[in-house]
Amino acid sequence: MVAYGDGMTGTRTAFRTCPLCEAGCGLEITLRREEAAGSGPAGAREVVQRIRGDLDDVYSKGFICPKGSTLKHLHEDPDRLRRPVVKRGGEFVEVSWAEAFAAVDAGLRGVVDRHGRDAVALYLGNPSAHSIGAMLYTSGLAKALGTTNVYSASTVDQRPKEVSAGLMFGGFTVPVPDIDRTDFLLMLGANPYASNGSLATAPDWPGRLEAIIARGGEVVVVDPRRTRTAEGATQWLAIRPGTDAFLLAAIVSVLVDEGLAAPGRLVDHVAGYDEAVAAVAAFTPESVAAVTGIDAATIRDLARRLAAAPTAAVYGRMGTTTQAFGSLTSWLIDVVNVVTGNLDRPGGAMFTKAAAGQANTRGTPGVGRGLRINRRQSRVKGLPETLGELPVAALAGEIETPGEGQIRAMLTVAGNPVLSNPVGHRLDRALDTLEFMVSVDIYVNETTRHADVILPVPSALQKPHYDLALLQLALRNVTNWSEPILPLDVGPDGVVQPDEWEVLAKLALIAAGAGPDADVATFDDLVFDNLAKHAAPEVVAAVAAAGRTGPARIVDLMLRTGPYDLTLDDLLANPHGIDLGALEPRLPEVLRTPSGKIELAPPEILGDVSRMHGALAAATEAGERAGDRPFLLIGRRDLRSNNSWMHNVNVLVKGKPRCTVQVHPDDAAALGLVDGAPAVVASRVGEVTVPVELFEGIRPGVVSLPHGWGHGVPGTQMRVAAEHAGVNSNVLTDDEAVDPLTGTSVLNGIPVSLTPA
Ligand SMILES: Nc1nc2c(c(=O)[nH]1)N[C@H]1C(S)=C(S)[C@@H](COP(=O)(O)OP(=O)(O)OC[C@H]3O[C@@H](n4cnc5c(=O)[nH]c(N)nc54)[C@H](O)[C@@H]3O)O[C@H]1N2
Ligand SMILES: Nc1nc2c(c(=O)[nH]1)N[C@H]1C(S)=C(S)[C@@H](COP(=O)(O)OP(=O)(O)OC[C@H]3O[C@@H](n4cnc5c(=O)[nH]c(N)nc54)[C@H](O)[C@@H]3O)O[C@H]1N2
Ligand code: SF4
Ligand SMILES: [Mo]
């Protein structure tokens, strides 16, 4: 920790990584000592004076977005829970930690005794991927619960990419676009100007994209909406939602047809090359022009430029995964990267080599177990298991549908499924019918209002941080540990609040039947020993000698057993992070497939290509716009928002309302819709009434509504968010519409109707 730099003003500066999105920016936080009446052991406490970008951060070099500095607001938000609450007579009341855990023990035990272990469901939300406590302890929690009902936000997000890449490369091995060195970036369904990048960890994506163009390269953005990212690109292709697989298949067919395929050294590392290209050969630019809305000449030209570029990378995100052909699209992105010879070379799509916790740096280099999916199915809808989880599209039905295995209790960790999952309104009602619900969360929001017990975790400034998952997807090899900056709260009973990992460890112990008084150290040891059994005894001894517990001990072990032989002490000595260099080629060592090859034609994925043929035929028959729901709904993200949970920060939500339905002026004119006036947007499963925003940058026939809104419902305690309520776009998301291989929900390309309200 950094000591007080200035005894005169009583301020000190500390550094940490921002945990709010995937960019992982370094923050410089100035703290001021304040005399506080009777609080804290020393009678003084520290408050955050200022947060700005850390100029010395090895990766972000001072970059920060408007959300970064709001860690102060989040920490100080009076609506943020600091003490556990339990529901009594319909109202939440603060209780001691001991009482809260006792209530959880009684509630969970009751449900398990009555209905068995599968009656308890676990849902893990997005911030759990940004929390070192959740990253390390929730899999043990899931095991302790012993339930098959494990869900996460991944099946409304990146699961198709994880699965396609897992089938191709084995394990969690997702290529990332080497944008700092590429000559040509083809980017589909991503808006890093708003999102700051995803599945490709890098601060200042906008600056990095501008640098591609500044050095004479090309950035091609494929998106039905002219986003800020599309505006900055050298070319924007306004594709029809859900049709990227056809575009990519046509690119492959041109590359092969015109003799432009040049896999080069990849040939030695690929199995199934011929099958893969043959599977999509029929999708010529001419045959897909109508369905994609991109003319054949443009597709041909794009394929040729891609092939001609000295280096090129194809990259896709939300718009490519949360759509009807999510797995196929994700696969085709890497097929194009292979066929053009750009996989695993500088300027192409590369593999990160992370300092800690990366499966593809462990075990035998170059071979492994690959990935198996669909090992079981959800009870009601028969949706496939992937990576040990069931799709959230199954969740509402699993709670609503009586019978053996019905969900009767729910444990949510860092999630707001009522606003983020399909049929949010049905889920909202279903949660109300549960016998018991526990939420590990910091707010009483649309989801947690249904809980019987809410267990709050410390604010980001009070927790250590290590981006275990996201650093495995970084565009440079970097590593950075953040110490807590502010102390944990002390309750009126003198009890120090538990850290997030301790809350989760306690829940695991309760789930395992050890009772509410069990010592979290026993679970911590279990998690640690589980990892330590693969490590050399002298390494384990060295970690033990450091005397740490919790995430710090585990990360120390992971670093020492990782590819750079680092220790946590090394990271503590480098609060601005350690740069381990640019990405380097990793084939074939990175692979973990049984064959030791890239499986370019996984049977699971090839089996789905027939669906593309069917869709093409149907689209040709139906024409572009037909039926009762002639519009296709897509989502959008805003730089000043973050899924559903940062709308209680006034500096972010103030200004003009963000929750509007964007409509092309021609469509609006035809329907009699006026800018600012309400419209009813209706899908097969629900409807919302929301103000219209005319936007000529959206493809006609497509409308856009952001997710994460719909606040201000009774029982929530988020005063600022309630004033900027908006509507829940996932009332429109159909739980029947999924990518079949992964069960991932179709969030982009939902058929809707639009009428003046
Ligand atoms: N229609 C539509 N739906 C979408 C999307 C879309 O693009 N369109 N995007 C999807 C995507 S990509 C995602 S990731 C999901 C997100 O879906 P969820 O993860 O279900 O929802 P979030 O809005 O991220 O909610 C995060 C919750 O965690 C709490 N929280 C914040 N910080 C912490 C913490 O440190 N610890 C704990 N324990 N809790 C914390 C917040 O109070 C909030 O309740 O939404 C998905 N839903
Ligand atoms: N400010 C902010 N940052 C965030 C978040 C946030 O909510 N706000 N959320 C974080 C999370 S959880 C995630 S997962 C990432 C997501 O990061 P991104 O994927 O970069 O973000 P999105 O804005 O969802 O971008 C998806 C784009 O796909 C387009 N699109 C929709 N349908 C299609 C289609 O069929 N084909 C194509 N080609 N494009 C389509 C949309 O118009 C949109 O521009 O962002 C993260 N960062
Ligand atoms: S881009 Fe913004 S929210 Fe994301 S890590 Fe950086 S400062 Fe935090
Ligand atoms: Mo996400």
Side-chain angles (χ1 to χ4, degrees):
M1 294 240 63
V2 181
Y4 277 92
D6 184 345
M8 301 296 288
T9 58
T11 63
R12 75 173 169 111
T13 306
F15 302 94
R16 68 158 293 137
T17 305
C18 176
L20 295 173
C21 86
E22 298 179 42
C25 302
L27 304 177
E28 181 200 282
I29 304 178
T30 309
L31 298 136
R32 190 179 66 241
R33 227 179 332 202
E34 222 174 49
E35 296 308 317
S39 89
R45 58 173 200 152
E46 285 185 313
V47 294
V48 176
Q49 179 168 306
R50 184 184 64 198
I51 300 182
R52 61 180 185 184
D54 173 13
L55 289 168
D56 296 323
D57 184 279
V58 295
Y59 202 17
S60 63
K61 301 189 167 79
F63 178 83
I64 183 176
C65 89
K67 291 187 293 301
S69 62
T70 66
L71 287 185
K72 171 181 164 69
H73 305 73
L74 290 168
H75 178 76
E76 294 169 0
D77 186 345
D79 288 340
R80 182 172 64 81
L81 295 176
R82 288 159 174 79
R83 303 266 300 151
V85 292
V86 300
K87 205 176 272 158
R88 290 193 184 136
E91 299 284 323
F92 282 117
V93 290
E94 281 192 3
V95 296
S96 69
W97 282 97
E99 277 177 86
F101 286 127
V104 173
D105 183 57
L108 278 185
R109 210 151 19 87
V111 171
V112 170
D113 286 350
R114 287 190 296 276
H115 309 290
R117 293 207 161 259
D118 282 340
V120 182
L122 175 64
Y123 175 84
L124 302 171
N126 172 271
S128 65
H130 302 259
S131 156
I132 188 64
M135 283 304 298
L136 295 175
Y137 296 84
T138 48
S139 65
L141 170 59
K143 272 200 204 93
L145 284 168
T147 176
T148 54
N149 276 306
V150 179
Y151 301 82
S152 83
S154 298
T155 48
V156 273
D157 193 348
Q158 81 289 353
R159 185 49 47 84
K161 187 72 206 180
E162 286 171 291
V163 163
S164 77
L167 293 171
M168 295 171 83
F169 311 113
F172 180 67
T173 301
V174 174
V176 296
D178 184 15
I179 59 174
D180 290 346
R181 290 180 288 186
T182 198
D183 298 287
F184 192 111
L185 178 65
L186 171 57
M187 179 155 51
L188 308 103
N191 185 14
Y193 273 79
S195 69
N196 283 304
S198 181
L199 292 189
T201 304
D204 194 13
W205 256 84
R208 290 167 200 268
L209 292 177
E210 283 152 24
I212 299 176
I213 298 170
R215 61 177 180 260
E218 284 195 64
V219 175
V220 179
V221 169
V222 180
D223 197 307
R225 208 170 66 88
R226 196 182 66 224
T227 59
R228 180 68 191 82
T229 306
E231 268 168 31
T234 48
Q235 186 181 19
W236 168 48
L237 298 174
I239 195 166
R240 281 188 69 236
T243 65
D244 301 77
F246 299 92
L247 170 66
L248 292 161
I251 290 174
V252 173
S253 88
V254 173
L255 294 172
V256 173
D257 240 34
E258 300 192 1
L260 300 172
R265 76 171 181 111
L266 296 172
V267 166
D268 294 339
H269 304 299
V270 170
Y273 184 92
D274 293 337
E275 291 100 299
V277 298
V280 295
F283 298 100
T284 60
E286 290 70 23
S287 72
V288 305
V291 74
T292 58
I294 304 174
D295 64 73
T298 304
I299 299 175
R300 251 176 223 289
D301 177 57
L302 177 60
R304 288 173 190 156
R305 275 156 47 225
L306 198 58
T311 64
V314 189
Y315 161 73
R317 227 8 311 268
M318 280 299 279
T320 60
T321 52
T322 51
Q323 53 134 300
F325 297 99
S327 295
L328 280 160
T329 307
S330 299
W331 165 70
L332 279 162
I333 285 169
D334 289 327
V335 171
V336 177
N337 283 326
V338 167
V339 172
T340 54
N342 281 303
L343 189 79
D344 198 44
R345 78 171 176 200
M350 301 192 76
F351 299 103
T352 312
K353 189 187 257 186
Q358 194 165 24
N360 63 33
T361 60
R362 288 195 300 266
T364 316
V367 286
R369 293 213 310 238
L371 178 70
R372 278 181 303 149
I373 56 171
N374 200 11
R375 291 170 295 184
R376 53 193 167 79
Q377 295 77 36
S378 68
R379 175 181 67 109
V380 180
K381 282 183 188 290
L383 291 175
E385 164 273 346
T386 56
L387 279 68
E389 296 171 2
L390 294 171
V392 290
L395 186 53
E398 291 295 330
I399 306 174
E400 291 163 342
T401 313
E404 180 75 31
Q406 181 184 8
I407 295 173
R408 314 288 191 126
M410 184 99 200
L411 175 49
T412 71
V413 178
N416 192 0
V418 167
L419 297 194
S420 63
N421 287 5
V423 288
H425 52 312
R426 267 176 53 204
L427 205 50
D428 190 36
R429 285 198 299 268
L431 293 180
D432 220 27
T433 67
L434 291 173
E435 291 176 24
F436 189 63
M437 176 167 161
V438 186
S439 293
V440 180
D441 208 286
I442 53 176
Y443 285 112
V444 182
N445 64 20
E446 301 72 24
T447 295
T448 61
R449 72 186 177 117
H450 296 289
D452 296 284
V453 183
I454 307 179
L455 304 169
V457 303
S459 86
L461 298 177
Q462 298 169 299
K463 292 192 286 187
H465 182 75
Y466 187 85
D467 268 320
L468 195 62
L470 304 176
L471 289 176
Q472 300 183 25
L473 299 159
L475 306 191
R476 281 185 77 81
N477 294 315
V478 287
T479 180
N480 198 337
W481 170 272
S482 306
E483 282 282 271
I485 281 174
L486 292 172
L488 295 167
D489 292 346
V490 181
D493 49 6
V495 174
V496 180
Q497 75 177 135
D499 196 352
E500 184 153 25
W501 74 268
E502 294 174 296
V503 173
L504 298 167
K506 182 74 94 173
L507 289 174
L509 288 163
I510 289 171
D517 300 323
D519 184 353
V520 295
T522 57
F523 187 73
D524 187 28
D525 288 343
L526 202 75
V527 176
F528 179 80
D529 292 345
N530 220 0
L531 286 165
K533 66 178 183 239
H534 305 291
E538 59 276 14
V539 173
V540 179
V543 174
R548 298 185 173 100
T549 59
R553 177 169 62 153
I554 297 174
V555 171
D556 192 22
L557 177 72
M558 288 176 159
L559 289 165
R560 288 174 194 264
T561 54
Y564 303 97
D565 205 17
L566 290 161
T567 68
L568 189 61
D569 285 327
D570 296 329
L571 271 56
L572 288 168
N574 289 278
H576 309 288
I578 299 175
D579 183 14
L580 300 162
L583 303 188
E584 285 172 14
R586 286 194 61 189
L587 281 174
E589 147 286 305
V590 73
L591 299 174
R592 291 294 183 276
T593 51
S595 62
K597 303 271 184 193
I598 297 169
E599 293 295 345
L600 206 61
E604 296 88 339
I605 290 182
L606 287 207
D608 201 21
V609 174
S610 60
R611 205 161 49 89
M612 285 175 66
H613 289 289
L616 198 58
T620 315
E621 251 169 55
E624 183 163 331
R625 291 164 60 181
D628 298 343
R629 289 182 278 273
F631 291 91
L632 291 176
L633 175 71
I634 62 171
R636 72 176 185 271
R637 282 178 159 75
D638 182 279
L639 184 60
R640 304 180 77 85
S641 172
N642 192 18
N643 296 322
S644 76
W645 69 278
M646 285 184 69
H647 300 151
N648 214 47
V649 179
N650 194 45
V651 295
L652 295 177
V653 284
K654 69 181 185 198
K656 71 177 177 41
R658 314 268 158 68
C659 188
T660 58
V661 60
Q662 291 185 335
V663 183
H664 191 276
D666 294 349
D667 288 332
L671 295 164
L673 293 172
V674 182
D675 193 53
V680 178
V681 186
S683 74
R684 187 187 76 85
V685 294
E687 63 174 57
V688 296
T689 303
V690 60
V692 170
E693 179 188 341
L694 296 186
F695 183 44
E696 40 69 47
I698 194 158
R699 189 187 163 83
V702 179
V703 294
S704 165
L705 191 60
H707 74 286
W709 301 90
H711 306 299
V713 293
T716 56
Q717 297 172 22
M718 297 181 78
R719 282 166 286 188
V720 177
E723 288 165 23
H724 304 267
V727 298
N728 179 359
S729 73
N730 282 313
V731 160
L732 302 170
T733 307
D734 193 336
D735 59 337
E736 293 290 326
V738 296
D739 167 49
L741 216 54
T742 62
T744 301
S745 293
V746 175
L747 308 176
N748 288 294
I750 302 170
V752 293
S753 64
L754 204 58
T755 43

